[in-house]
Amino acid sequence: MAASQSGTDNALWRNLFSQRIIREGTIEEVLSKVPAFANLAPRELKEVAAIVHKREYRTGEPVFYQGDPGLGMYIVKDGEVSIVIQGKDGNERELAVFGDGDFFGELALLDESPRSANAVCKQNVRSLVSFALTCLN
């Protein structure tokens, strides 16, 4: 009896202290590839995953406009988003293109300042949005 109890105890301790594996294709996996979340433990990633929101956008659809309140950051799960500014001459200028695994709008998590550019989908996009904590209260 003592031998089986000891085996159970060892299994329990191994489970408690073992490194959890992040399953492929999960929100946690996407988050783990973003530098801001890369050093989080699997349990912490799961907590962050519980507060992010999934969003889908179509080609040509705006994610946000220049001047909008900065309420959160976006992680591109798949697709492409173009960051564009409207010049004083009325012409648009593309500043960056973000694709699979990239993130943008992260400054909103720090200061909630207005968006400095437009974000428009170049392709259909599936994304994860993490809102600033003050927006969740």
Side-chain angles (χ1 to χ4, degrees):
M1 183 109 159
S4 74
Q5 180 66 32
S6 175
T8 303
D9 288 344
N10 287 337
L12 174 66
W13 286 109
R14 277 195 309 275
N15 265 341
L16 286 176
F17 294 106
S18 68
Q19 183 71 337
R20 299 284 182 208
I21 300 202
I22 299 169
R23 289 192 330 246
E24 199 172 314
T26 62
I27 292 173
E28 291 88 342
E29 181 196 26
V30 175
L31 290 171
S32 73
K33 295 177 182 177
V34 174
F37 305 116
N39 292 324
L40 296 180
R43 179 180 293 176
E44 294 165 321
L45 286 170
K46 188 173 184 172
E47 290 175 16
V48 173
I51 63 169
V52 299
H53 302 274
K54 296 177 188 176
R55 296 282 193 265
E56 292 187 11
Y57 301 91
R58 295 182 188 266
T59 302
E61 186 176 358
V63 176
F64 55 74
Y65 293 104
Q66 187 171 345
D68 282 353
L71 300 177
M73 73 175 271
Y74 297 80
I75 303 165
V76 179
K77 190 170 180 188
D78 52 61
E80 279 191 352
V81 176
S82 176
I83 304 299
V84 180
I85 59 168
Q86 189 82 28
K88 291 180 181 171
D89 61 1
N91 293 325
E92 288 188 344
R93 194 173 99 210
E94 186 173 71
L95 301 177
V97 176
F98 295 104
D100 300 4
D102 291 334
F103 63 95
F104 59 95
E106 68 280 3
L107 291 178
L109 296 178
L110 302 175
D111 64 10
E112 297 180 33
S113 60
R115 299 294 185 185
S116 58
N118 298 325
V120 181
C121 297
K122 292 184 85 162
Q123 301 174 355
N124 289 343
V125 170
R126 290 189 305 157
S127 70
L128 303 174
V129 184
S130 176
F131 291 104
L133 292 178
T134 56
C135 298
L136 298 175
N137 293 333

